[in-house]
Amino acid sequence: MVRHAAPRLTVDTLDRMKRIVLALALVGLLGCSAPGTPSPSAPSTSPSVAPTPTTASSPSSPASPTGGPSATANPSAEPTSDLGDFICQYPYAVDGTRERAHIADVRTGRHPGYDRAVFEFERGIPALDVKVGQPPLTYDPSGLPMDVAGEDFLILILRGGTGITPNGRQTYDGPTEFTPGGDVLVEFEQAGDFEAQSEWVAGLTGPACIRVFTLTGPDRLVIDFAAQ
């Protein structure tokens, strides 16, 4: 039996084989991308999505409870019940809390069964005199005639109630003539503001009774007019 000897690998053969292996490894490295790094020329497979802008929502106003009072108290709101009795005899006088009180606001309003006039003051409340007015009505102190709508009239005198301070500052520059068109009070007009005393005329649909009371926070003098 003849045995064939295995061919012997020469040094040159081994060198050639090493070079081939290295070349194959280099080709493999060049053909693969580094992990996690996208190829510069390869398009992205997922479309780019622009971020959706967030729109800031406007704060909503707190809802007032249905059928109940507002959550925020209104300091100038006037009550409408349990206010006392009306009086129908004149002249009528109410004492004040201050000798001189400066008018800050005047307003009128209508309520079921009566109409209302409100004087608001910076501090304190003056005395009030009420008397029946007889045409011809005049402005104070000029004496010029006043034209006030109504069939009957009441004169309201704020003793110490004025819209002007001693140094001449005007504390009230709002309306001096109101036409609420109420069931009782049809017109309310200032006749004058002279020597720290203001006078107002209430034009009425007929003989009227009044109810007078005061409020604080802010200081107010309230006069309600109801038909006799």
Side-chain angles (χ1 to χ4, degrees):
M1 182 179 206
V2 181
R3 295 181 177 178
H4 298 280
R8 299 178 62 185
L9 297 176
T10 64
V11 174
D12 293 339
T13 302
L14 291 174
D15 290 339
R16 285 197 297 273
M17 292 177 66
K18 290 180 179 180
R19 286 197 294 271
I20 292 171
V21 172
L22 290 174
L24 291 174
L26 181 61
V27 171
L29 289 173
L30 292 175
C32 298
S33 299
T37 304
S39 173
S41 60
S44 172
T45 58
S46 299
S48 176
V49 179
T52 302
T54 301
T55 303
S57 59
S58 300
S60 58
S61 300
S64 297
T66 303
S70 172
T72 303
N74 182 358
S76 61
E78 285 85 38
T80 57
S81 60
D82 300 329
L83 303 177
D85 298 327
F86 284 85
I87 65 98
C88 307
Q89 295 182 348
Y90 307 101
Y92 177 74
V94 178
D95 292 333
T97 63
R98 193 174 181 85
E99 290 185 1
R100 185 179 184 121
H102 297 121
I103 301 172
D105 191 22
V106 182
R107 49 188 177 269
T108 61
R110 301 173 62 183
H111 297 276
Y114 62 92
D115 299 320
R116 174 170 291 179
V118 180
F119 294 95
E120 183 176 315
F121 301 93
E122 288 187 347
R123 187 175 60 174
I125 296 173
L128 171 68
D129 289 340
V130 182
K131 63 181 181 179
V132 175
Q134 297 290 343
L137 303 169
T138 59
Y139 290 102
D140 180 35
S142 67
L144 295 174
M146 286 183 70
D147 185 13
V148 181
E151 298 296 327
D152 282 79
F153 305 92
L154 288 177
I155 310 297
L156 283 67
I157 301 171
L158 300 175
R159 291 187 282 112
T162 174
I164 305 171
T165 65
N167 60 9
R169 179 176 67 90
Q170 192 168 2
T171 63
Y172 177 68
D173 58 359
T176 57
E177 183 177 356
F178 301 84
T179 54
D183 295 332
V184 180
L185 182 63
V186 292
E187 188 167 355
F188 193 62
E189 184 176 351
Q190 185 182 56
D193 189 340
F194 182 65
E195 293 184 344
Q197 177 173 288
S198 61
E199 182 177 315
W200 294 75
V201 177
L204 308 166
T205 55
C209 303
I210 62 170
R211 173 175 59 193
V212 180
F213 60 95
T214 61
L215 298 168
T216 57
D219 291 329
R220 284 158 287 167
L221 177 64
V222 182
I223 304 97
D224 290 338
F225 302 87
Q228 285 192 15

